[in-house]
Amino acid sequence: MASLNPLSSPLDLRKAKHLLRRATFNFTKEQLDVFVGMSAADAVNSLTTASANILSEPYDPLPTTSPDGFWTSSTELPNSFNGQTRKRAIIVGWWWHNAMSQISLKHKLSFFLHTCFTVGKDSGVGSATYFYDHIRLLDYYALGNIKTLAKKITLDNGMLDYLDNTQNNDNNPNENYAREYLELFTILKGEQIGDGNYTNYTEHDIQQAAKVFSGFKRRADRSDIDPDTGIPSGYNNYNRHDKTNKTFSAAFGNQVITAATNAIDMTRELHDFVDMVFAQQETAKAYCRKLYRYFVKSEWNATVETDIITPLSQILIDNDFEILPVVTTLLSSEHFYDADDSDATDNIIGAIIKSPFQQLTEVCSMFELDYPDPTTDTYRYYINFFLRFVHNTYTKTAGMELYNPDSVAGYPAYYQEPSFDRIWFSSNTLIGRYKLIESLIIGRNTITPNARIYAELGTINFAKNKLANPENPILLITEVANLLYPEAIDSDRINYFKTFLVDEGFPDYYWTDIWVQYLNDNDDTSVKTRLNALVTAMVNAAEFQLM
């Protein structure tokens, strides 16, 4: 049976790698060394401390003659600034640097919440500053309460624009947000039982939910500040709110939510509705299935549904939808490490194809990519490196526009049966995915248009500073493989990779001599060429596509 019992044995390197890459966006040898020998529970708990962002806010270095700078803290109207698309990308660059700078569950869970309460930053979220507030809201609740976020998200200015709820009035209802709120954000559909009706809710429930949501408006100047988060929010307009009682279907026990009597009472009505939705067992199960797909694997059987999903959903309910008790239980469990049956290599570890985002963060953190400092070299970081290379080129060609999925359903890899995460790997995405490491090694965008990216990955420094035996080709390759891959590789694969260091027909000491010669005379020409080729081959190998 599948088991949520805590893993009893200390983490070895294999399990430490599994936890670190699944739970954070910062995958380093140093942190692996820390995890090895720890209990799973202690290692997971070490990731749950929230700390302040390294970068407090994003910076726009354009226009060069008079930069908009820290425009998100400006008192000017958000839509008064030019370059809104660029600014939204800069916000993603701000978030990415913070995620890369800390070893924490916070950033992984923040992105998980983005997959639950999806907006497309370039497809209706409004001005860049509203998107910034939206990301901060997800960050704020990343280690917190999903139900509370499900209440706050309704008055998020970006969400109000994205799903048109700011246009939802008592005399002209707009059901877009209400429909997605039930279908995608919270309880999900369940089995269809009629035209537009499902086991978890009906078309009538959508109509009633739209009435609950009526009258919540975007505040253009961000002057309304949520007292709990300190983040700007929308506001309650009672004149545009439906003033009738809302009666829901049998799916919700025919519950009646009493109409608000004034603008302040609209918040009570909203909370009553969210509490009603979250009182359903299926809502908790929906989130736990999403968590399982995000952290563990895309598909599971009835045993996992019974032994893992159902008890996790009860933990979520028992903790009033605090997310950490569920996630720490899952990531500390025998099941997560595939230690709950007789075959520890058949289910979980290496079972997910990495997203392009995951691929990027692992390469940059493991090899300590030297990219421009966003605090002192703002133009080269935000514009040359992140906007033009990472955002506009790599992630797009690799099939993942960050924070801009094609639809409100999110990234297909997290919901689209039967392919799920296999969607990340296709003939359309291979060029971007495979040219990432090449671009980072030579410091130029080799995908298109071959411009400098002002970032460079140093393979020699990696070998010299991170590996115990860089002079021995077999030990070097084995150690790199043990860092990069979910599972150890066999001798055939080692010998294949060795061809990038040692010419065919030459003995192993050929590489040793090259390495020693480099240490003696500091001429890195031959060493660099061979190490670059090796790292490129090992990153682009099938083994590295999995986690």
Side-chain angles (χ1 to χ4, degrees):
M1 63 181 281
S3 171
L4 283 174
N5 290 333
L7 183 73
S8 58
S9 59
L11 296 178
D12 56 16
L13 178 59
R14 177 174 177 265
K15 292 183 176 68
K17 287 186 294 184
H18 178 59
L19 172 62
L20 190 60
R21 58 167 44 106
R22 296 285 182 99
T24 83
F25 285 122
N26 193 316
F27 186 70
T28 67
K29 181 181 184 299
E30 289 73 17
Q31 188 60 36
L32 290 174
D33 291 341
V34 170
F35 276 179
V36 171
M38 291 180 68
S39 70
D42 286 346
V44 172
N45 287 335
S46 74
L47 301 175
T48 62
T49 302
S51 55
N53 285 331
I54 300 299
L55 297 177
S56 59
E57 57 185 314
Y59 184 92
D60 187 356
L62 293 177
T64 53
T65 54
S66 181
D68 287 336
F70 298 112
W71 86 97
T72 57
S73 57
S74 170
T75 57
E76 299 294 324
L77 282 173
N79 65 3
S80 67
F81 291 95
N82 293 325
Q84 293 289 338
T85 301
R86 177 185 75 247
K87 283 178 166 60
R88 286 189 290 267
I90 284 172
I91 290 164
V92 180
W94 161 81
W95 187 90
W96 180 80
H97 180 75
N98 284 323
M100 284 288 295
S101 301
Q102 297 175 334
I103 300 175
S104 171
L105 260 168
K106 172 188 170 182
H107 307 289
K108 204 79 171 204
L109 281 170
S110 178
F111 198 80
F112 167 75
L113 292 176
H114 164 58
T115 70
C116 295
F117 300 94
T118 303
V119 302
K121 67 178 177 62
D122 297 324
S123 53
V125 78
S127 298
T129 308
Y130 304 142
F131 173 61
Y132 169 66
D133 292 337
H134 175 81
I135 295 298
R136 288 198 296 155
L137 185 64
L138 299 184
D139 278 359
Y140 188 91
Y141 286 103
L143 300 175
N145 194 287
I146 300 177
K147 182 165 69 173
T148 304
L149 174 60
K151 295 173 180 177
K152 301 289 187 183
I153 202 75
T154 297
L155 276 94
D156 172 66
N157 283 314
M159 183 65 78
L160 282 163
D161 258 344
Y162 180 63
L163 289 177
D164 310 314
N165 203 60
T166 194
Q167 302 170 22
N168 180 14
N169 300 313
D170 57 337
N171 63 344
N172 187 23
N174 186 309
E175 298 175 357
N176 195 19
Y177 178 64
R179 185 175 304 279
E180 308 302 9
Y181 192 91
L182 293 174
E183 179 180 338
L184 300 175
F185 294 174
T186 56
I187 196 168
L188 310 187
K189 290 179 178 179
E191 295 297 321
Q192 187 168 6
I193 57 176
D195 186 19
N197 294 334
Y198 303 90
T199 53
N200 293 344
Y201 64 85
T202 68
E203 192 68 22
H204 172 77
D205 295 320
I206 292 173
Q207 296 164 3
Q208 296 301 297
K211 292 180 180 181
V212 172
F213 291 139
S214 63
F216 293 107
K217 303 296 179 184
R218 173 174 60 83
R219 180 69 79 183
D221 64 3
R222 301 168 75 225
S223 58
D224 287 271
I225 306 298
D226 180 81
D228 298 321
T229 64
I231 299 171
S233 70
Y235 68 99
N236 304 356
N237 185 337
Y238 186 65
N239 292 332
R240 294 290 180 263
H241 183 66
D242 186 286
K243 300 172 183 63
T244 64
N245 292 342
K246 288 79 178 175
T247 302
F248 291 84
S249 74
F252 295 101
N254 302 114
Q255 183 167 334
V256 178
I257 293 180
T258 306
T261 57
N262 53 53
I264 294 175
D265 200 31
M266 286 172 61
T267 300
R268 185 271 310 161
E269 187 179 327
L270 169 65
H271 288 191
D272 286 349
F273 169 75
V274 175
D275 289 342
M276 178 190 74
V277 173
F278 277 71
Q280 313 305 309
Q281 180 90 31
E282 279 304 310
T283 301
K285 285 188 175 181
Y287 284 117
C288 288
R289 291 181 187 119
K290 287 183 177 182
L291 282 166
Y292 190 90
R293 184 165 290 126
Y294 187 77
F295 282 109
V296 185
K297 63 185 302 187
S298 295
E299 298 173 277
W300 56 91
N301 57 26
T303 299
V304 170
E305 182 72 21
T306 300
D307 296 343
I308 304 297
I309 303 297
T310 298
L312 284 178
S313 68
Q314 192 58 51
I315 292 172
L316 193 57
I317 292 168
D318 291 344
N319 287 276
D320 196 27
F321 287 85
E322 288 290 329
I323 196 170
L324 274 184
V326 175
V327 174
T328 55
T329 297
L330 178 60
L331 300 186
S332 303
S333 69
E334 292 177 336
H335 181 71
F336 179 71
Y337 298 96
D338 202 6
D340 51 359
D341 59 29
S342 58
D343 187 348
T345 64
D346 65 335
N347 277 324
I348 310 300
I349 297 178
I352 293 179
I353 294 176
K354 295 172 188 172
S355 71
F357 188 33
Q358 182 72 28
Q359 189 98 343
L360 172 71
T361 61
E362 283 193 30
V363 169
C364 292
S365 55
M366 177 56 72
F367 291 100
E368 296 185 340
L369 178 72
D370 182 18
Y371 62 83
D373 187 332
T375 61
T376 60
D377 200 356
T378 55
Y379 188 91
R380 285 181 175 174
Y381 172 72
Y382 283 112
I383 305 302
N384 293 123
F385 174 66
F386 194 85
L387 174 67
R388 293 175 181 167
F389 175 63
V390 174
H391 183 274
N392 289 357
T393 305
Y394 165 66
T395 56
K396 284 187 178 181
T397 56
M400 187 184 194
E401 293 191 40
L402 290 176
Y403 287 96
N404 198 45
D406 291 340
S407 74
V408 67
Y411 307 96
Y414 295 118
Y415 70 85
Q416 188 67 62
E417 298 181 75
S419 297
F420 292 113
D421 52 289
R422 292 185 291 276
I423 290 172
W424 295 131
F425 205 82
S426 71
S427 58
N428 294 326
T429 65
L430 283 180
I431 292 179
R433 196 175 184 101
Y434 281 166
K435 282 189 172 290
L436 170 65
I437 184 63
E438 177 183 278
S439 297
L440 296 178
I441 283 177
I442 71 171
R444 302 193 73 87
N445 182 352
T446 63
I447 305 169
T448 178
N450 198 33
R452 284 189 67 186
I453 62 176
Y454 296 94
E456 191 168 345
L457 187 154
T459 57
I460 294 179
N461 285 337
F462 172 75
K464 188 162 57 174
N465 299 329
K466 305 294 182 181
L467 305 181
N469 299 283
E471 75 284 351
N472 183 310
I474 299 296
L475 295 179
L476 182 154
I477 291 164
T478 301
E479 192 170 359
V480 174
N482 285 341
L483 290 173
L484 296 185
Y485 301 156
E487 305 285 9
I489 59 175
D490 60 24
S491 59
D492 287 343
R493 289 298 279 164
I494 291 173
N495 287 330
Y496 165 72
F497 288 126
K498 192 175 69 172
T499 62
F500 294 94
L501 297 180
V502 180
D503 294 337
E504 187 175 355
F506 282 72
D508 288 357
Y509 62 75
Y510 175 75
W511 166 255
T512 305
D513 290 344
I514 293 176
W515 181 261
V516 171
Q517 184 67 30
Y518 153 68
L519 294 179
N520 288 335
D521 62 18
N522 208 34
D523 182 354
D524 65 3
T525 305
S526 183
V527 169
K528 186 175 183 178
T529 299
R530 292 169 188 271
L531 278 176
N532 286 353
L534 173 68
V535 170
T536 300
M538 295 190 76
V539 167
N540 286 339
E543 292 92 337
F544 190 67
Q545 313 312 308
L546 303 174
M547 71 174 190

